[in-house]
Amino acid sequence: MKSTSVHFHANARAALNDPVLQDALKRLKAGFVVKRREALEGLPDFPAMREAASALKKHILDHLDIYLEQYEAAVRRQGGEVHWAEDAEQARRIVADLCQRQGLRRVLKGKTMVGEEVGLNEELEAAGLEVVETDLGEYIIQLAKEPPSHIIAPAIHKTRGQVGELFSNAHDNDMSGANAPELVAEARRVMRRHFLAGEVGITGANFLIAETGSNIIVTNEGNGDLSATLPKMHIVVAGIEKVVPTLEDATLLLRILARSATGQRMTSYTTLHTGPKRTSDRDGPNAYHVVLVDNGRSRMLTGPYRDMLHCIRCGACLNHCPVYGAIGGHAYGWVYPGPMGSVLTPLITGLDQAASLPQASSLCGRCEAVCPVAIPLPRMLRELRFDGFDQGHVSGRGLLRTWAFLACRPRLYRRISSLLLAAARGLARRGWLPALPGTGAWRRARDLPAPAAQSFSDWWRRRQ
Amino acid sequence: MTSRDRILERIRAGAHHQVPRPRLPEAPAPEGDLLELLQDNLTLAAASHQRCSTQELPAAVAAYLQRNQLPAKLWVSDEAGLVDFHHPDIELHHESPGAETSAALTGALAGIAETGSLVLHSGADRRTALNFLADHHLVVLPVRSVVACIEDAWPLLRELPDWPRTVNIITGPSRTADIEQTIQMGAHGPRSLHILLVH
Amino acid sequence: MSSTVGLLVTCLADLYRPQAGIATVQLLEEAGFRVVFPDQTCCGQPGYNAGDRDSARAIAQRVIAAFEGCEAIVAPSGSCTGMLRLHYPQLFRDDLSWQGKATEFAARSFELLEFLDLHAPELAPPPFPFRTAWHESCSNLRELNRGGAGPRWLKRIPELELCAAGDPEVCCGFGGSFAVKFADISGRMVDDKARGFEEAGAEALVGNDIGCLLNIAGRAHRRGYPLRVHHVAELLAGTAADDPGLGGVR
Ligand code: SF4
């Protein structure tokens, strides 16, 4: 998908002025945040589990080559095939080739964020395939021709009315004015036809199990299961960081994933797929392929961003981020929004394409506090700011350097600040400053008090 | 050099094989009666349940269909324990389920008390599609197959003669919150999940 | 002999709220410490958060050198204490000659309330007869793990009616230069925050980070919501009751 992260400022302003989006974001806070809190109240061991999950991820990344090779061997043993994609383009091509070589045209897609990341749909459609997103949220945004605005609730920005419009235009049914149950029933009706006709099912994976060669998907709708079961071929697209050694390891992560994401203890469907259908099986696909996607991940293993590969894509950092809560996902301009997106987007698409994202944070730290695998997101945003500064992507360098020059010279600093204080006091009205040059941005949303008549430093000097 | 080699080479530059494997936290050991806990958690997951004996099973299923005003048709799994399922008023189907499948009856390998989940798997005598295409999914679970926690299900699967293509851990009916964050049942899979706990 | 405490007053308190610094000196001296105020400007956070590590390092080295010989460094700010304690060691993680100094300096750095909890637990503050809300700053809460410490002190102030408002986990939108670089987003955040205090009927807002307090006071003023805003040191030292607070000429 093409990134529009360079337009973050304009995107954000538009989002703040979009009343429909603002309503949706209010629901988000009431929904996910409250449900997560309730779910964790029933799990007194959560801090210990979080620590163990983080330690487990550290261990896995330090043995990633070993576990990936184990996983690959296990998939082969079960009759599946593993493909390795270095970048987005290669991943897209592998998937398109797999479909085309078998002459399969009708593609069912379960929700996959890495699929969004590599731009799978565009490639498949360009190759003349018919692609249907089967997750309701993904289907809605597919009809709207929009990217997801949340990693686990892709259509969170859409209202019932908008969904009704989209369905009315796409289906042979007037759905404007329909309520939520009617819309869900309509989607179910239309999707059934697609499910029964699908020839290829593409899903993501929440985990890949080295021990068994299984992929695990965690869903609530059952669309991923139907996509993986009914067609002739099942293709799994997954980032290389998804591998875990054993089912027991996956269990620990499963326990924290659903609770952090939707506040459920388990989602409705936790499914393991291992290879194609066995010869005697009554149903299931004849072919099973896994596409392991690198796309910048192996590079992250060395250097300060390694911990970002712990991410299990639960969305908690988005749900608790005050910036995401103010502007929603689209403003971030690419597939991953919120704090995790502000780290991943520059790392995958290049810092020059997304220099604003790491800046667009008050570094309040709530993302790190809620992250179930304890990723130090604020630290990474700061690291990206360092990189951005070094690469010349930070505006106001001159001002910063001037300030630093003064900050290292206390006496000069004091003299200049006293002058500024005196001037500002002279202009103040009843304790507050009027619109002065340089205060415009601050004063857009709030007033600026006048500085003190006498600084603390001056007070101290007089007192001595 | 293949892409695989290049990816692994880059990984090896950052994977030093030194960080030890942490000890996993103990699996939860629920107190009290597992069957009761399972029943509570089924309810929490929005699944309904009832207890009955093996002999009562056909009548219980028939009553369920009637209670929910479903056609007297049932897609039945052929696995052991259900092959002989029979009720005079119910038309049984053994073929692939489709758009018209109103109710399906399957077994389960285990029930997980911790989460109110059921463990099902694919095989020569069953169809995974039954678990997802029916409007109402009825699951027969022998009470002796209740285990405490998720971890307890893995050895049961490892003991199977072959590792199955599909393992479904099902916790409540299909649902979605994709429209305005309001939870709706029956997104693509079953609207209702009913567990028959047989003793 | 009494031990020597170095005051790091913070650049914002220096210019905007000297009363907070003055009250801090009073509290420390009453607790029996000798207070010194080495030559200083700022802790370096603006540069650090903007990505300018070199500037931040230069300033940090000056700060560390200036406070040599102080048994403790006290700052009336959660955010600046977080900088000294957590980020100075990070800044020098690749610089062996400074790493040790920064770590040792970090261990001597305290946020004011934290220091009072340790050394003046018996302190008896005078009355403050207002319905008062505490602003929990993010650095207080998550960097220093000192959530709840502020309200605990407020509860000990006679006649103060503590009012719970908004969600203390949520940021006010200050974030240093974030407030001006992303003024619209920050504006939304601070409006939510100020509205929370207004809806709870707070007459006074108290905190230990002048940055957040400037931000919230500014938004309250723009909303036309009369709110007196003080640093907690002023309440504890007894100088707040007769003072209109930040920006206030009432
Ligand atoms: S960074 Fe942490 S909180 Fe955010 S999506 Fe990833 S795992 Fe979840």
Side-chain angles (χ1 to χ4, degrees):
Chain A
M1 188 199 134
K2 208 177 145 12
S3 161
T4 63
S5 302
V6 280
H7 307 304
F8 179 79
H9 276 277
N11 294 350
R13 202 159 315 128
L16 284 165
N17 292 321
D18 178 344
V20 176
L21 174 66
Q22 291 302 323
D23 270 354
L25 291 168
K26 268 186 221 122
R27 278 194 299 275
L28 169 100
K29 275 178 244 175
F32 286 137
V33 172
V34 173
K35 285 188 195 134
R36 171 185 173 275
R37 189 185 310 133
E38 288 167 358
L40 292 189
E41 275 161 12
L43 196 69
D45 293 344
F46 182 69
M49 290 167 65
R50 182 173 184 256
E51 210 167 292
S54 170
L56 173 64
K57 277 288 191 177
K58 283 198 162 64
H59 164 77
I60 295 171
L61 291 180
D62 197 46
H63 298 76
L64 190 58
D65 51 335
I66 296 179
Y67 288 129
L68 281 171
E69 286 182 306
Q70 269 180 24
Y71 167 75
E72 179 187 41
V75 173
R76 293 226 170 99
R77 265 201 313 278
Q78 297 287 359
E81 266 185 65
V82 176
H83 312 260
W84 301 70
E86 291 189 71
D87 55 22
E89 197 199 330
Q90 197 181 3
R92 294 194 293 259
R93 251 208 336 266
I94 292 171
V95 176
D97 283 353
L98 284 171
C99 300
Q100 282 178 313
R101 233 180 297 142
Q102 303 294 322
L104 306 177
R105 293 208 41 251
R106 282 192 291 269
V107 179
L108 302 174
K109 266 187 79 218
K111 184 172 145 9
T112 147
M113 283 311 296
V114 71
E116 297 281 349
E117 174 189 323
V118 302
L120 209 49
N121 288 8
E122 292 91 321
E123 175 93 7
L124 297 178
E125 279 161 8
L129 306 180
E130 175 200 315
V131 182
V132 181
E133 291 287 353
T134 59
D135 171 85
L136 178 53
E138 289 281 346
Y139 179 62
I140 292 168
I141 60 165
Q142 186 185 28
L143 292 181
K145 300 193 170 47
E146 286 174 18
S149 71
H150 189 289
I151 60 172
I152 68 161
I156 189 137
H157 59 289
K158 288 270 179 254
T159 61
R160 207 165 5 125
Q162 291 173 322
V163 176
E165 289 291 305
L166 289 166
F167 283 10
S168 301
N169 292 337
H171 306 166
D172 42 17
N173 243 352
D174 179 17
M175 296 304 293
S176 45
N179 61 22
E182 287 162 354
L183 291 168
V184 172
E186 169 70 2
R188 181 186 173 99
R189 183 184 71 82
V190 169
M191 205 52 77
R192 272 297 150 105
R193 287 203 306 262
H194 292 301
F195 279 129
L196 296 172
E199 296 172 312
V200 184
I202 301 177
T203 68
N206 293 89
F207 307 105
L208 304 172
I209 314 295
E211 167 199 9
T212 57
S214 313
N215 72 278
I216 297 190
I217 57 171
V218 172
T219 67
N220 269 317
E221 297 184 2
N223 64 303
D225 288 279
L226 287 165
S227 303
T229 301
L230 301 178
K232 300 185 180 68
M233 179 156 78
H234 178 195
I235 304 174
V236 177
V237 188
I240 51 172
E241 81 283 14
K242 294 284 178 193
V243 69
V244 298
T246 66
L247 289 166
E248 281 74 9
D249 298 312
T251 312
L252 168 65
L253 299 173
L254 281 171
R255 272 204 188 93
I256 55 178
L257 172 60
R259 285 172 169 95
S260 300
T262 55
Q264 289 169 286
R265 280 193 286 186
M266 284 284 266
T267 53
S268 297
Y269 304 114
T270 299
T271 299
L272 286 73
H273 291 122
T274 316
K277 83 188 259 282
R278 315 297 181 238
T279 350
S280 56
D281 278 359
R282 292 280 180 86
D283 56 7
N286 295 315
Y288 177 79
H289 295 272
V290 181
V291 183
L292 292 175
V293 180
D294 182 343
N295 204 26
R297 288 166 173 77
S298 59
R299 254 184 296 117
M300 287 163 57
L301 267 181
T302 47
Y305 305 109
R306 181 182 176 110
D307 288 356
M308 197 58 224
L309 296 168
H310 292 189
C311 177
I312 55 174
R313 307 285 193 266
C314 72
C317 59
L318 281 63
N319 300 337
H320 292 79
C321 175
V323 175
Y324 181 93
I327 60 174
H330 283 164
Y332 292 80
W334 201 52
V335 290
Y336 300 115
M340 55 85 79
S342 292
V343 176
L344 276 178
T345 304
L347 291 177
I348 299 177
T349 68
L351 194 49
D352 54 333
Q353 294 300 308
S356 288
L357 297 187
Q359 306 281 341
S361 163
S362 63
L363 300 176
C364 77
R366 203 167 179 208
C367 46
E368 177 176 4
V370 299
C371 175
V373 283
I375 300 175
L377 291 153
R379 203 200 81 210
M380 301 207 172
L381 292 171
R382 270 203 195 86
E383 290 289 345
L384 283 161
R385 292 180 185 190
F386 299 152
D387 291 354
F389 190 89
D390 295 345
Q391 295 168 26
H393 299 308
V394 173
S395 58
R397 283 169 74 93
L399 205 65
L400 269 172
R401 285 286 153 104
T402 312
W403 161 83
F405 177 85
L406 289 174
C408 289
R409 287 160 185 77
R411 231 167 294 155
L412 183 59
Y413 175 93
R414 232 178 5 254
R415 214 166 314 139
I416 293 183
S417 57
S418 299
L419 286 174
L420 288 174
L421 286 194
R425 290 295 305 179
L427 295 165
R429 299 275 170 280
R430 299 181 53 78
W432 295 83
L433 291 179
L436 295 176
T439 63
W442 175 275
R443 290 189 79 265
R444 226 178 10 255
R446 70 225 110 185
D447 293 326
L448 185 59
Q454 180 190 19
S455 71
F456 176 84
S457 308
D458 289 343
W459 173 84
W460 179 269
R461 221 157 311 278
R462 290 215 182 116
R463 181 192 194 225
Q464 294 306 308
Chain B
M1 246 181 139
T2 62
S3 292
R4 176 184 186 278
D5 298 337
R6 275 190 295 272
I7 293 173
L8 284 171
E9 191 180 84
R10 282 197 297 269
I11 290 175
R12 286 192 187 107
H16 305 299
H17 308 169
Q18 277 159 4
V19 179
R21 204 182 144 83
R23 261 216 1 221
L24 297 180
E26 296 283 326
E31 287 159 27
D33 182 45
L34 287 185
L35 185 58
E36 260 172 47
L37 182 63
L38 175 75
Q39 295 181 57
D40 289 349
N41 284 332
L42 285 171
T43 308
L44 271 181
S48 54
H49 63 85
Q50 71 181 97
R51 299 189 57 169
C52 62
S53 66
T54 322
Q55 290 76 23
E56 291 160 349
L57 182 66
V61 171
Y64 178 90
L65 298 183
Q66 213 170 29
R67 205 163 56 237
N68 290 282
Q69 295 164 1
L70 297 171
K73 292 182 184 174
L74 188 66
W75 273 251
V76 195
S77 176
D78 292 329
E79 61 204 278
L82 293 178
V83 260
D84 302 327
F85 181 90
H86 170 78
H87 188 280
D89 299 338
I90 305 179
E91 181 185 314
L92 296 182
H93 292 260
H94 294 271
E95 73 277 12
S96 299
E100 72 292 359
T101 303
S102 45
L105 180 69
T106 73
L109 176 71
I112 302 174
E114 173 200 0
T115 52
S117 310
L118 303 157
V119 184
L120 284 73
H121 62 84
S122 56
D125 52 1
R126 59 196 73 189
R127 295 178 202 277
T128 297
L130 279 184
N131 308 344
F132 295 96
L133 279 177
D135 266 2
H136 290 252
H137 184 194
L138 289 81
V139 182
V140 180
L141 180 74
V143 292
R144 67 186 136 73
S145 305
V146 179
V147 298
C149 59
I150 307 172
E151 280 85 345
D152 292 344
W154 306 134
L156 301 177
L157 287 163
R158 288 186 184 113
E159 278 163 20
L160 295 174
D162 287 308
W163 187 266
R165 140 77 189 166
T166 303
V167 177
N168 298 124
I169 304 175
I170 299 180
T171 315
S174 158
R175 70 191 72 197
T176 182
D178 275 342
I179 295 177
E180 295 190 344
Q181 289 244 300
T182 56
I183 292 180
Q184 308 292 329
M185 295 300 170
H188 298 296
R191 290 173 221 272
S192 303
L193 178 68
H194 185 69
I195 321 306
L196 298 131
L197 295 159
V198 296
H199 46 263
Chain C
M1 208 197 84
S2 63
S3 43
T4 304
V5 170
L7 170 65
L8 187 124
V9 77
T10 80
C11 56
L12 288 177
D14 184 37
L15 301 181
Y16 272 97
R17 201 59 190 161
Q19 294 92 326
I22 297 168
T24 301
V25 173
Q26 185 187 323
L27 290 167
L28 293 173
E29 287 179 347
E30 278 169 12
F33 292 93
R34 194 173 82 82
V35 179
V36 296
F37 181 67
D39 251 355
Q40 58 188 268
T41 58
C42 168
C43 66
Q45 225 181 134
Y48 184 64
N49 285 343
D52 185 357
R53 256 178 307 194
D54 292 340
S55 296
R57 278 197 200 108
I59 297 168
Q61 287 171 342
R62 278 202 59 92
V63 172
I64 294 173
F67 284 88
E68 228 160 88
C70 298
E71 270 114 300
I73 298 95
V74 173
S77 155
S79 156
C80 301
T81 307
M83 180 70 188
L84 309 185
R85 186 180 294 170
L86 304 174
H87 300 295
Y88 276 15
Q90 275 289 322
L91 261 178
F92 297 107
R93 67 183 176 207
D94 301 322
D95 179 344
L96 285 183
S97 62
W98 276 90
Q99 197 186 53
K101 280 187 220 172
T103 312
E104 182 270 338
F105 179 81
R108 281 187 290 135
S109 306
F110 298 89
E111 183 274 324
L112 174 64
L113 291 185
E114 190 177 37
F115 195 75
L116 294 179
D117 273 329
L118 290 170
H119 299 288
E122 305 297 317
L123 187 130
F128 184 71
F130 296 95
R131 187 171 158 79
T132 304
W134 171 258
H135 171 63
E136 197 72 273
S137 74
C138 300
S139 31
N140 233 11
L141 187 62
R142 286 179 278 259
E143 289 199 319
L144 305 181
N145 279 318
R146 293 272 303 160
R152 270 200 300 283
W153 274 100
L154 294 190
K155 278 188 196 135
R156 295 167 48 180
I157 298 179
E159 294 170 42
L160 181 151
E161 184 194 343
L162 186 61
C163 91
D167 184 345
E169 302 267 339
V170 177
C171 175
C172 73
F174 176 62
S177 59
F178 172 77
V180 290
K181 275 195 196 156
F182 300 91
D184 298 319
I185 299 173
S186 166
R188 168 64 53 84
M189 288 161 67
V190 69
D191 187 55
D192 286 349
K193 202 69 197 179
R195 207 150 18 87
F197 293 125
E198 190 171 352
E199 279 160 11
E203 299 166 323
L205 178 68
V206 176
N208 65 344
D209 271 295
I210 296 293
C212 311
L213 295 180
L214 272 174
N215 186 36
I216 303 168
R219 183 63 204 173
H221 191 255
R222 178 66 60 88
R223 287 180 67 87
Y225 158 38
L227 179 69
R228 36 191 310 158
V229 179
H230 293 283
H231 190 280
V232 65
E234 302 167 45
L235 271 71
L236 298 182
T239 59
D242 303 323
D243 182 308
L246 251 179
V249 197
R250 290 200 179 90

